Amino acid sequence: MSPITVAKFGGTSVADFQAMSLSAQVVENNPSTRLVIISACSGVTNLLVELANGVDAARQQALLSQLQQIHYSILDDLQQGDSVKSDIDALLDDVATLAKTAAMASSVQTTDALVACGELLSTHIFAQLLRERGNNAARFDIRDVMRTDDQFGRAQPQLEAIRELVQSQLAPLCQQQMIVSQGFIGRDAQGNTTTLGRGGSDYSAALLAEAIDAGTLEIWTDVPGIYTTDPRIAPKAGPIAEISFSEASEMANFGAKILHPSTLIPAIRQQIPVFVGSSKAPEQGGTWVRKSADSSPLFRALALRNNQTMVTLHSLNMFHAYGFLAEVFKILAKHRISVDLITTSEVSVALTLDKTDTSGGAPQLPAAALEELSELCRVEVEQNLSLVALIGNQMSHTKGASKAVFETLEDHNIRMICYGASTHNLCFMVSADEAKEVIQKLHEALFE
Ligand code: ASP
Ligand code: MG
């Protein structure tokens, strides 16, 4: 059999009956699509997270009825919604039970069990819709093959186990039927439900595409591909037809919301081309992400990431000494703090914290880490910052590239410039309230 296509649909693509129908059409348009990975219906994960944080009985009731209403309203539009109603009801009961547990004592483990219900629910409905449209489709519980470690909330996939399980349990099914399954969720070796972190469905789909040796990975969302920047900020931003893996990874890392940052890693490992498009307007085309793109312009795109936390460490002990950074990173590693950007001077180091948890807002430096770092040096923590990243090709090897950027931004205060480690990006921090304007000015000067 020729390699299959794995198609992933995000929350807005399965938000209601109409969105699901358009997504079903997309699946049917490509006969090689044998594995369909979907997110929870739009908004559902947020409701579940709220329940998982522990709320009073009245709020619980309100959230539960919202969840019921979202799923029931799709069932109502199905011809035989009743055939999956008992599955939906059983899951809604699980949600109610877990919500009560969470209200008494919330834990990361309960949170994962609870938020996983969003995908477990949506897949029952989408599989039924595909069947009603005449497809031979079945729902599969991805936890049977998506083996992870037990870091609840941000579980790490165990690639070897996943490949083995996918090849033995999922691949044979995909030969016979169209399989609909869940993004975002997995299971640890003890049998507990885990999640890969918010927005993790893209990553799930890519991991499965890798494990099943897919020929193509399609990521269907609500925008027709990757844009030069967010069109809500710069209205003249336009779609990019083709982009290389390296450029797209930089974009995802630096906050272009369209792809989850980890998504491309499995695709790059296996060199699986990735298509990004809108399930609501597939005729508008989208973006192909491949090993190499036909064009490699100096400036490709601009990304913006809000809610940055910048930590500056000052110490005279750094002056002509060795081992200081090692100490700093030892503390950060001990507290499992992932660092994003870093710049140094002789007596200070500035770094930004990576956002890996599921909470909203800017990442926090844990109090214990702050205390240990403070024993070593003076620590300053700043928030209300945004990261601006310019993605392109050969930037640090091209005369005038940085001049074009900094000249455009002469009226702004630019901090923590990172440039040169990768030829694909130039990034820096600006104060949050200037971020949009900075993106607009750069887009106009470099892309319009
Ligand atoms: N439903 C999950 C979330 O909202 C995963 C995803 O949509 O990718 O984070
Ligand atoms: Mg999503």
Side-chain angles (χ1 to χ4, degrees):
M1 215 173 110
S2 54
I4 67 164
T5 294
V6 174
K8 181 258 166 175
F9 294 86
T12 51
S13 301
V14 293
D16 50 32
F17 180 76
Q18 202 202 349
M20 281 199 181
S21 302
L22 292 170
S23 297
Q25 183 68 57
V26 168
V27 171
E28 291 156 5
N29 284 347
N30 182 352
S32 71
T33 304
R34 311 296 297 170
L35 180 58
V36 179
I37 299 300
I38 68 172
S39 291
C41 304
S42 182
V44 165
T45 310
N46 288 342
L47 299 175
L48 293 168
V49 167
E50 192 180 339
L51 281 174
N53 290 341
V55 290
D56 64 32
R59 185 67 189 146
Q60 259 180 58
Q61 221 26 68
L63 291 166
L64 290 170
S65 60
Q66 266 189 68
L67 286 166
Q68 188 186 57
Q69 200 256 322
I70 292 171
H71 297 96
Y72 275 15
S73 80
I74 314 181
L75 290 186
D76 281 347
D77 287 330
L78 291 172
Q79 285 150 30
Q80 286 149 21
D82 277 352
S83 63
V84 288
K85 182 152 183 301
S86 57
D87 297 313
I88 298 300
D89 284 340
L91 281 163
L92 290 170
D93 283 347
D94 289 350
V95 170
T97 312
L98 288 160
K100 279 196 195 107
T101 312
M104 284 183 299
S106 88
S107 76
V108 283
Q109 189 170 336
T110 309
T111 298
D112 272 5
L114 194 47
V115 297
C117 293
E119 273 70 10
L120 293 170
L121 284 159
S122 64
T123 39
H124 272 301
I125 299 179
F126 195 62
Q128 175 60 22
L129 176 69
L130 283 170
R131 285 192 289 270
E132 289 186 7
R133 295 170 59 102
N135 301 287
N136 177 11
R139 174 183 181 270
F140 179 84
D141 189 332
I142 211 67
R143 292 173 297 180
D144 291 346
V145 299
M146 186 57 74
R147 178 65 58 77
T148 71
D149 68 6
D150 62 0
Q151 281 187 67
F152 298 102
R154 47 166 168 163
Q156 298 297 317
Q158 298 188 334
L159 303 182
E160 271 176 42
I162 293 170
R163 169 170 282 275
E164 208 180 291
L165 292 164
V166 163
Q167 288 293 338
S168 63
Q169 298 187 34
L170 183 57
L173 294 177
C174 293
Q175 307 256 338
Q176 295 155 16
Q177 279 180 304
M178 192 185 274
I179 298 295
V180 176
S181 196
Q182 305 82 25
F184 180 52
I185 70 174
R187 194 179 270 149
D188 69 9
Q190 278 67 49
N192 300 306
T193 297
T194 56
T195 65
L196 305 182
R198 288 305 302 270
S201 293
D202 289 357
Y203 188 33
S204 297
L207 289 164
L208 292 161
E210 177 184 37
I212 210 162
D213 298 320
T216 307
L217 169 62
E218 296 176 348
I219 303 281
W220 295 97
T221 160
D222 53 2
V223 271
I226 301 176
Y227 276 56
T228 48
T229 198
D230 186 339
R232 287 166 303 187
I233 300 177
K236 289 199 178 140
I240 302 167
E242 199 194 24
I243 181 171
S244 68
F245 279 140
S246 343
E247 294 168 285
S249 324
E250 299 281 357
M251 285 186 73
N253 284 334
F254 289 113
K257 293 245 168 40
I258 186 139
L259 284 178
H260 184 275
S262 312
T263 311
L264 290 169
I265 299 168
I268 294 170
R269 275 195 299 253
Q270 281 270 99
Q271 301 195 4
I272 302 170
V274 180
F275 176 81
V276 182
S278 165
S279 61
K280 303 208 164 138
E283 71 288 349
Q284 285 185 28
T287 303
W288 276 102
V289 190
R290 302 181 206 272
K291 187 169 174 247
S292 59
D294 278 345
S295 71
S296 40
L298 180 61
F299 303 126
R300 177 70 92 180
L302 278 166
L304 171 65
R305 192 162 66 191
N306 292 315
N307 284 326
Q308 297 296 293
T309 301
M310 176 166 152
V311 178
T312 311
L313 309 169
H314 311 268
S315 169
L316 287 174
N317 294 342
M318 242 183 277
F319 195 64
H320 288 173
Y322 53 84
F324 181 83
L325 282 181
E327 280 301 316
V328 167
F329 280 91
K330 208 164 87 191
I331 296 170
L332 295 172
K334 185 172 136 195
H335 295 277
R336 289 194 169 174
I337 296 165
S338 163
V339 168
D340 193 23
L341 302 185
I342 169 157
T343 58
T344 62
S345 81
E346 191 53 53
V347 292
S348 57
V349 189
L351 42 90
T352 63
L353 303 183
D354 212 356
K355 184 155 177 49
T356 44
D357 59 6
T358 47
S359 69
Q364 301 295 329
L365 185 66
L370 177 60
E371 197 172 306
E372 281 180 50
L373 287 170
S374 303
E375 280 166 22
L376 199 67
C377 54
R378 186 161 62 81
V379 186
E380 214 181 321
V381 180
E382 288 173 78
Q383 291 183 327
N384 297 320
L385 291 165
S386 297
L387 185 154
V388 173
L390 174 62
I391 288 98
N393 293 281
Q394 297 298 325
M395 282 190 287
S396 51
H397 297 297
T398 305
K399 272 189 198 148
S402 56
K403 180 165 178 254
V405 173
F406 296 124
E407 243 176 21
T408 309
L409 300 180
E410 59 187 2
D411 296 335
H412 295 271
N413 181 17
I414 294 171
R415 304 180 61 189
M416 226 194 139
I417 301 163
C418 295
Y419 187 40
S422 156
T423 60
H424 290 294
N425 93 63
L426 184 171
C427 54
F428 49 83
M429 311 290 276
V430 293
S431 126
D433 50 19
E434 291 172 40
K436 277 193 180 165
E437 197 187 333
V438 164
I439 294 281
Q440 284 158 353
K441 283 186 181 166
L442 282 176
H443 198 271
E444 190 185 340
L446 308 177
F447 295 88
E448 289 170 23

